[in-house]
Amino acid sequence: MSCPTALSVLVNPNVLEAENVVKDAISHHKILHIVGKCWVDYLGRAKSKLEPGERILIVKADGSLLVHRSIGYEPVNWMPGGETVFHVLSKTGVLEVHAVRQKPREYVKVFFDRIRLVSALSLVDSGEFALYASEEDMQRVILLRPDLLEPGFRPISYEKKVEPGFVDVYGVDKDDKLVVVEIKRKTAGKEAVLQLARYIDAVRGKAGREVRGVLVAPGIGKDVQRLLATLGLEYKHLDPKKCAEILSQKKSKKLAEFFNETAHFQHP
Amino acid sequence: MSCPTALSVLVNPNVLEAENVVKDAISHHKILHIVGKCWVDYLGRAKSKLEPGERILIVKADGSLLVHRSIGYEPVNWMPGGETVFHVLSKTGVLEVHAVRQKPREYVKVFFDRIRLVSALSLVDSGEFALYASEEDMQRVILLRPDLLEPGFRPISYEKKVEPGFVDVYGVDKDDKLVVVEIKRKTAGKEAVLQLARYIDAVRGKAGREVRGVLVAPGIGKDVQRLLATLGLEYKHLDPKKCAEILSQKKSKKLAEFFNETAHFQHP
């Protein structure tokens, strides 16, 4: 069972059979999947009790633990990996999986009294995950990091209503000229340029000072550069993948904070 | 295979064998678990690509979809249940599971070219999940809903440093008396009362006006009421389970916002 690529599957095992596979899986950092009737206790900064019912327990290679019910995308109990220590034991027909962390001291204990399925295997996975931001994400990146548009740019507002619609980002440059920013997450065509030109016209009418228009996109189509020049508008390259990376740093922090705050629970 | 309690398990199935079990599982709202080599495309407000590697795909009874890699407590791709529509097909040795949502239009497509394990079953689960708040959670509830302490209470600060330590919540009552609140998530004993008394002494020395001390807990131990009375302190019952319920309403909203914002991605 300790062959790294071997797959162990037990259907309706008894507790002792399951215990062997579970111990082997956890000690060899395999992905463990148990389906059965269980109850779950959590104690740490908060406390929870999940009454008996059939659920899925997953323990991943890094010790991350998830308890999933039959519905909902969120786990009912979970614990991050890394510092988690596991204890697996069986007592009077009950298989117990304890996941314990220090700092703060907390544990999740899962008790199975009927096991329908256990599987354990190692996953071979080196594939890259590439994320490309949405236009809203790109907007957020410019608000967070206005120097990515240009040094000295200061956003004033976003989704600002002007006569033909909403300006994505609206601000001033280092020379105090107004700047209207239109964002596209794909290669921008002439339609995007004309949209920006309409916004500029609307703002110019009221502003009484110089207004610049900047089209932000990962690329521009053929002949678009000429149209921009004709209309006195500018283009700034911004890559949705780079935006996603910037936000993912910020978001994983935010997620971590969220999870801290909820003390390892989520609710349907 | 359509018996509601039957468990289907296939080890190293070919694509057509897997396709049958997957279709049956999804149409009968079973929990589906596929382990194998796959790649994943997401397109919606944002876009992502997960390159080939071995992962776990879970589709729950409500159509929630999760793709998990071998490490990390977060799924690499996911989709909520409810409105999600599934298409399952096989083409030239590849099993495709498409999960599609409208409003906003988005899809996750998972492509397996090697399947190591498929399981499908229905979970019988009516167990209640009970969550009991931490002391920090109870503090947050009092800050959010100060009337739970008493009508007219207005918090001024929390974790306020006074000479012996930090006051949990500090505020004024409807008669403008200062109120020092000490929170315990378990039945409070004499030690908690003496701790509160020390804080009161420290605050009284500086305040120059009347100071009340309130011990907030789900219960108080034997003889604690007498000690409170002797020291001129008060007790207010507050149940950690009720606090957890109040926060879970707030948090599920917050979580929903978070997930909206990240456009269905989370990062390790």
Side-chain angles (χ1 to χ4, degrees), chain A residues 24-31 59-63 121-123, chain B residues 70:
Chain A
D24 177 78
I26 289 175
S27 63
H28 291 90
H29 304 288
K30 295 180 178 181
I31 292 230
V59 178
K60 295 174 89 171
D62 62 344
L121 80 170
S122 294
L123 299 182
Chain B
S70 62

Side-chain angles (χ1 to χ4, degrees), chain B residues 183-199:
Chain B
I183 300 168
K184 295 293 171 197
R185 59 177 288 273
K186 293 183 184 169
T187 300
K190 290 184 178 177
E191 185 45 50
V193 178
L194 297 175
Q195 187 184 356
L196 176 58
R198 286 193 296 272
Y199 290 143

Side-chain angles (χ1 to χ4, degrees), chain A residues 5 45 47 49 51 54-55 60-62 68-70 72 74 116 124-125 127-128 130-132 134 255, chain B residues 5 45 47 49 54-55 60-62 68-70 72 74 116 124-125 127-128 130 132 134 255 267:
Chain A
T5 59
R45 281 158 297 192
K47 182 178 123 177
K49 281 193 175 291
E51 298 299 328
E54 289 183 328
R55 287 111 195 185
K60 295 174 89 171
D62 62 344
H68 272 284
R69 305 186 76 161
S70 62
E74 297 166 60
R116 299 188 63 186
V124 178
D125 180 8
E128 194 206 348
L131 175 60
Y132 304 86
S134 64
L255 185 69
Chain B
T5 57
R45 281 159 298 191
K47 183 177 124 179
K49 281 192 175 293
E54 290 183 328
R55 287 110 195 185
K60 296 173 88 170
D62 63 343
H68 272 284
R69 304 186 77 163
S70 62
E74 298 167 59
R116 299 189 64 186
V124 178
D125 180 7
E128 195 205 349
Y132 304 86
S134 64
L255 186 67
H267 305 276

Side-chain angles (χ1 to χ4, degrees), chain A residues 5-7 9 11 31 33 35 43 45-56 58 60-62 64 66 68-74 76-80 116-117 119 121-137 140 185 248 250-252 254-255 258-259 261-262 265-268, chain B residues 5-7 9 11 31 33 35 43 45-56 58 60-62 64 66 68-74 76-80 116-117 119 121-137 140 185 248 250-252 254-255 258-259 261-262 265-268:
Chain A
T5 59
L7 166 64
V9 180
V11 174
I31 292 230
H33 176 248
V35 185
L43 186 64
R45 281 158 297 192
K47 182 178 123 177
S48 78
K49 281 193 175 291
L50 178 62
E51 298 299 328
E54 289 183 328
R55 287 111 195 185
I56 295 175
I58 293 170
K60 295 174 89 171
D62 62 344
S64 304
L66 304 164
H68 272 284
R69 305 186 76 161
S70 62
I71 61 167
Y73 57 88
E74 297 166 60
V76 60
N77 281 108
W78 66 280
M79 206 166 239
R116 299 188 63 186
L117 180 66
S119 70
L121 80 170
S122 294
L123 299 182
V124 178
D125 180 8
S126 57
E128 194 206 348
F129 179 66
L131 175 60
Y132 304 86
S134 64
E135 279 167 14
E136 291 81 4
D137 289 338
R140 212 170 303 134
R185 61 177 286 271
S248 88
K250 191 179 155 269
K251 276 167 193 162
S252 47
K254 194 171 158 191
L255 185 69
F258 171 80
F259 278 124
E261 210 178 287
T262 54
F265 296 99
Q266 299 174 34
H267 305 276
Chain B
T5 57
L7 165 64
V9 181
V11 175
I31 294 230
H33 175 249
V35 184
L43 186 64
R45 281 159 298 191
K47 183 177 124 179
S48 77
K49 281 192 175 293
L50 178 60
E51 299 300 329
E54 290 183 328
R55 287 110 195 185
I56 295 175
I58 293 170
K60 296 173 88 170
D62 63 343
S64 305
L66 305 165
H68 272 284
R69 304 186 77 163
S70 62
I71 60 166
Y73 57 87
E74 298 167 59
V76 60
N77 281 109
W78 66 278
M79 204 166 241
R116 299 189 64 186
L117 180 66
S119 70
L121 80 169
S122 293
L123 299 183
V124 178
D125 180 7
S126 57
E128 195 205 349
F129 180 66
L131 176 60
Y132 304 86
S134 64
E135 279 166 16
E136 291 80 3
D137 290 337
R140 213 170 301 133
R185 59 177 288 273
S248 90
K250 190 178 155 272
K251 275 165 194 167
S252 46
K254 193 171 161 191
L255 186 67
F258 170 81
F259 278 124
E261 212 179 283
T262 55
F265 295 100
Q266 298 173 35
H267 305 276

